[in-house]
Amino acid sequence: IKYNIIATNLDGTLLTSNKKITPKTKNLDTLKESGYFIVGVTARNLSSVQEAVNIKLFDYLILSNGSDIYDVDKEIIKNYKNVNVTNMSNTDQLNSKFWLIINPNGINKLKTLELLCDDLKTIPNKVIFFGDGENDLPIIKGVGLGIAMKNAENIVKENADDITLSNDKEGVANYLEKYLIEKKNSKSDTVSYT
C-alpha cells in the first residue's frame, strides 16, 4: 500500500506528557515535502491546539473529536456538526483524565477523516494513524495502518496493527523514521517496538 496521509492524535501521542513537542517530532513537517498530508486529530478545539503546538506542522486538523476540519494553509474551518460541543479551550489546565468530551450524534474522528479523504481524493486505507485513547479506537481500526502508542489504553493496543514507543520516547517520529526509511529494505509491512 502506498500511504499518503499521516494522521496523529495529539495528547498522549504526538505531545509528551508535559504537553510539549520535541525537536525530532517537529521534523515531521519535512514529510510534507515528500508528498504526505500531515493531519492532527484531536478532541481539542483550534485555540487549544494553537496553545500546544505550531499548527504549521500540519496540513489539516480534525478538531473536537471530528466536529470540525481546519485547513491550515487556507485558514478555513469546516463544520460537520449540528449541535454545540462544549468549549474545550481551557481543558489544558486540567488533568486529561477529567476532560469532558462530547461527540455529536454520528460524528467521530474516523467519520470526519473519511470526509477529508474524500476531499483529498484518497481513501482511509492509505492512512497511517497514531493514537492512544479509546476515542481513537474507530480510527485505529478503520485506517490502513493503525498504530498504538506504548502508553495507549490496552483496548487500543489490542486493536492496533502495530505498537510504537511511548509519547515520551518520540514514538510517532521514531516509527515513521523507521517505517519510511527502513521499510524499503525490509519484507515486513510493519516495524514493531514491542
Side-chain angles (χ1 to χ4, degrees):
I1 295 172
K2 170 67 174 165
Y3 299 105
N4 53 21
I5 294 178
I6 298 167
T8 178
N9 178 51
L10 299 186
D11 295 280
T13 304
L14 195 70
L15 300 176
T16 63
S17 295
N18 60 0
K19 309 298 183 190
K20 302 293 182 189
I21 189 164
T22 67
K24 183 173 186 175
T25 303
K26 285 179 185 175
N27 287 337
L28 292 179
D29 63 358
T30 61
L31 292 171
K32 291 196 276 189
E33 299 165 12
S34 301
Y36 294 95
F37 292 105
I38 309 297
V39 180
V41 184
T42 181
R44 292 174 181 249
N45 65 17
L46 181 59
S47 62
S48 181
V49 174
Q50 289 170 321
E51 290 171 9
V53 64
N54 180 354
I55 63 171
K56 294 295 184 184
L57 174 66
F58 307 101
D59 294 293
Y60 298 92
L61 291 165
I62 293 176
L63 303 164
S64 303
N65 264 350
S67 295
D68 303 309
I69 295 177
Y70 183 71
D71 184 324
V72 176
D73 287 336
K74 295 180 181 176
E75 298 184 351
I76 295 172
I77 197 160
K78 293 182 181 178
N79 184 275
Y80 291 99
K81 65 180 186 291
N82 295 315
V83 300
N84 292 324
V85 176
T86 299
N87 187 316
M88 296 181 62
S89 60
N90 294 322
T91 54
D92 198 35
Q93 298 170 9
L94 302 175
N95 183 302
S96 60
K97 291 180 182 176
F98 301 108
W99 280 29
L100 177 62
I101 298 172
I102 299 173
N103 279 349
N105 230 354
I107 294 292
N108 61 37
K109 292 177 177 181
L110 176 61
K111 295 290 185 190
T112 306
L113 179 66
E114 289 170 347
L115 292 171
L116 179 60
C117 285
D118 285 345
D119 287 347
L120 297 175
K121 305 292 189 259
T122 188
I123 56 174
N125 205 38
K126 294 189 175 183
V127 176
I128 302 172
F129 176 76
F130 297 86
D132 73 305
E134 197 167 339
N135 64 336
D136 295 323
L137 204 49
I139 199 166
I140 283 273
K141 296 195 291 187
V143 298
L145 187 58
I147 310 298
M149 309 304 289
K150 187 119 184 174
N151 54 287
E153 295 177 33
N154 285 335
I155 192 170
V156 177
K157 290 190 274 193
E158 289 164 7
N159 284 277
D161 296 306
D162 207 356
I163 299 172
T164 187
L165 302 173
S166 75
N167 61 321
D168 288 327
K169 292 190 176 177
E170 302 177 312
V172 173
N174 279 296
Y175 192 94
L176 288 173
E177 181 179 75
K178 195 163 182 68
Y179 181 86
L180 296 177
I181 295 170
E182 296 183 16
K183 179 182 175 289
K184 294 175 184 176
N185 303 319
S186 169
K187 294 180 180 176
S188 173
D189 282 341
T190 56
V191 180
S192 183
Y193 285 96
T194 56

